[in-house]
Each structure stands twice: as C-alpha cells, then as structure tokens.
Amino acid sequence: DAGVTQSPTHLIKTRGQQVTLRCSPISGHKSVSWYQQVLGQGPQFIFQYYEKEERGRGNFPDRFSARQFPNYSSELNVNALLLGDSALYLCASSPGTNYEQYFGPGTRLTVT
Amino acid sequence: GIQVEQSPPDLILQEGANSTLRCNFSDSVNNLQWFHQNPWGQLINLFYIPSGTKQNGRLSATTVATERYSLLYISSSQTTDSGVYFCAVGSGTYKYIFGTGTRLKVLA
C-alpha cells in the first residue's frame, strides 16, 4: 500500500509570493494534518481536517489556509510568504481524529 | 497547553551500546507516538504507545501514563539508528505536540 505522498519535494519562492502544497493520505484514511518544522525544532501543528471539515488550527497567522477534497487529499496554501516561512512542511494521515498518525516525506520550502 | 520535554538533547554512542531516551509530559494524554526522523526529514513511526510496553526488534518503549513519562530503549545500537528521535503527544482529538527531540549519533 502506498504511504502518504506530498508534492512538490522542494520549492523555492520569493518573499510576497504564494505557495500551494499538496498531500495525499493513505488509502482509507479520512484525516489529514499539516505541520511546520523549522530547522532544529520539532514539528508544529498547523491544521487538521477530517471529513473535509477543519477540526483544529494551530497558532499560525491567517496567511495559512488549507482545504480537504472529497477524495481526502489536501492542500496547504500560504500567502504573502515571509523569510520565516522557510521550513519543512509535513503532512500526516490517520484513519480518524484520534488515531496513530503517519507522516509523508515533506515539502521543503525555501523563501528568498 | 501540554509541555513535552525530551532528554537527553544529544547523545553519542559507540556501535553496540544501549541507550534510553526519555519523554516527560505535563498533563494527561490519550495519544503518544515515538518517531525517528532520518537525515532527509522523513518521520518514521516507531511506536504508538499511549500506555503500556511494546517491543519491536532492538527497540522497545514503555509509557507510564499516570506518571506522565515514556521511555524509548535502543539496544545494540547501529550507525543506521543515527538521527533525531521525537516523542509526540495528544490530549484532544486533533493535534500532536512534539518534544524538542533527542539527537542521536552512533559511531562505528
């Protein structure tokens, strides 16, 4: 069975631009969570979606938004990029909202 | 919110040595996982262990939920065990709080 997939693997953006990151969960999993990991720190929770509804949001500005599609895949959007948004963005999938989470390989975003 | 502390922050071992990593958390939890993050950033699931003891090969883990800690044991360490080990806990239904990690380096 395929694991969690994320695209793109890497990308470089300029300050002020917008970016969209994509995640496909494990087949049968209905929950997707997004995390941001800056260098040297542990991942920080951004969003959780379950059954296409936002179930939780971390302490991130409104420049960050996400959505989940009918096939349970998800997109994370970040507007007006700042240098501090440079990080590894991780997607996690789980069967529901209170289960073991499985992480994808991440998207490494560099903002210049 | 819940605070998660991991110790030690850094650990250097000779190949073949054993080690114990600790995760303390400040409130009751209903989810706890241990992960190994490889040099490419991939978080690899080691254990889902909100309570009790589990073993998988050279690795084992114990969570004592009533005392708010979890331990990860690595026996007969190998160079491929190098990387960062994270403990993550959840008390609600939607998010995990990660610790700051233990950076392990195993020398050949």
Side-chain angles (χ1 to χ4, degrees):
Chain A
D1 286 343
V4 180
T5 59
Q6 292 186 243
S7 63
T9 305
H10 298 85
L11 75 165
I12 300 173
K13 290 287 189 177
T14 304
R15 275 177 299 175
Q17 286 187 318
Q18 176 264 341
V19 69
T20 298
L21 311 181
R22 295 176 176 83
C23 172
S24 291
I26 293 170
S27 177
H29 285 193
K30 298 181 178 180
S31 175
V32 170
S33 298
W34 288 95
Y35 292 79
Q36 180 197 64
Q37 186 178 22
V38 299
L39 197 62
Q41 297 182 19
Q44 299 288 318
F45 172 77
I46 310 175
F47 287 109
Q48 186 190 67
Y49 276 77
Y50 175 67
E51 290 283 18
K52 302 178 286 294
E53 291 187 5
E54 181 183 308
R55 294 303 180 101
R57 183 185 183 111
N59 189 24
F60 280 81
D62 291 344
R63 300 184 295 108
F64 289 76
S65 64
R67 55 180 174 169
Q68 187 177 35
F69 299 99
N71 66 354
Y72 303 109
S73 67
S74 178
E75 288 182 351
L76 175 70
N77 296 285
V78 187
N79 293 323
L81 285 166
L82 304 174
L83 294 179
D85 295 330
S86 296
L88 179 67
Y89 288 84
L90 295 162
C91 171
S93 122
S94 61
T97 59
N98 198 27
Y99 292 85
E100 182 175 4
Q101 296 199 26
Y102 299 83
F103 282 81
T107 293
R108 196 168 297 277
L109 171 65
T110 301
V111 182
T112 62
Chain B
I2 293 179
Q3 304 298 314
V4 182
E5 294 183 355
Q6 291 186 241
S7 60
D10 296 281
L11 187 58
I12 300 175
L13 299 174
Q14 206 64 40
E15 199 169 29
N18 302 328
S19 62
T20 301
L21 282 57
R22 187 177 181 101
C23 171
N24 292 333
F25 41 95
S26 61
D27 205 343
S28 59
V29 300
N30 51 22
N31 285 304
L32 190 147
Q33 285 187 244
W34 283 97
F35 297 93
H36 175 210
Q37 189 165 42
N38 66 22
W40 298 272
Q42 174 79 56
L43 281 169
I44 299 164
N45 287 34
L46 298 178
F47 294 102
Y48 175 71
I49 187 167
S51 64
T53 298
K54 291 185 177 180
Q55 180 159 4
N56 184 5
R58 297 182 296 104
L59 303 182
S60 64
T62 295
T63 297
V64 183
T66 54
E67 297 187 20
R68 299 178 185 169
Y69 73 88
S70 184
L71 302 174
L72 177 69
Y73 305 97
I74 305 174
S75 64
S76 304
S77 57
Q78 302 175 357
T79 56
T80 51
D81 295 332
S82 296
V84 184
Y85 289 79
F86 286 105
C87 164
V89 305
S91 66
T93 60
Y94 64 85
K95 73 174 178 180
Y96 272 13
I97 306 296
F98 279 76
T100 50
T102 291
R103 188 174 304 273
L104 173 65
K105 187 173 180 61
V106 180
L107 304 176

